[in-house]
Amino acid sequence: MDGGMGKPKRPASRPQPASTPPGGLPTREEIIDYLGKAHGKIGKREIARAFGIKGGDRIGLKSLLADMTADGSLVGNR
């Protein structure tokens, strides 16, 4: 028995991204929008988790982020 206590609420620390089709990568605009709303340090792992990117799609995400850094859309590194 849970003693009348419901499920603990998760803190809303990360903004929810727009829905991305399963197995697909987010657009550049979706990534920039997500990063604009996020708090604290956000890396590839957090972006992948936010958009539900798994497996081999992570390689595509890494490439997309590298391209965005190269063209100046993103700034920074570790």
Side-chain angles (χ1 to χ4, degrees):
M1 300 188 98
D2 65 355
M5 300 177 91
K7 207 175 188 182
K9 302 278 186 201
R10 281 185 23 183
S13 61
R14 301 206 194 295
Q16 295 299 318
S19 61
T20 304
L25 293 176
T27 64
R28 290 171 176 253
E29 291 78 23
E30 288 173 329
I31 291 173
I32 291 171
D33 185 48
Y34 173 74
L35 293 174
K37 294 177 184 175
H39 302 287
K41 291 185 178 182
I42 301 295
K44 287 182 287 231
R45 177 182 295 166
E46 291 79 18
I47 294 170
R49 187 178 302 139
F51 288 97
I53 299 170
K54 298 182 180 186
D57 287 337
R58 287 179 182 250
I59 296 169
L61 175 64
K62 183 178 177 181
S63 176
L64 176 60
L65 294 174
D67 290 345
M68 291 175 71
T69 302
D71 73 13
S73 299
L74 297 179
V75 178
N77 56 18
R78 295 180 181 218

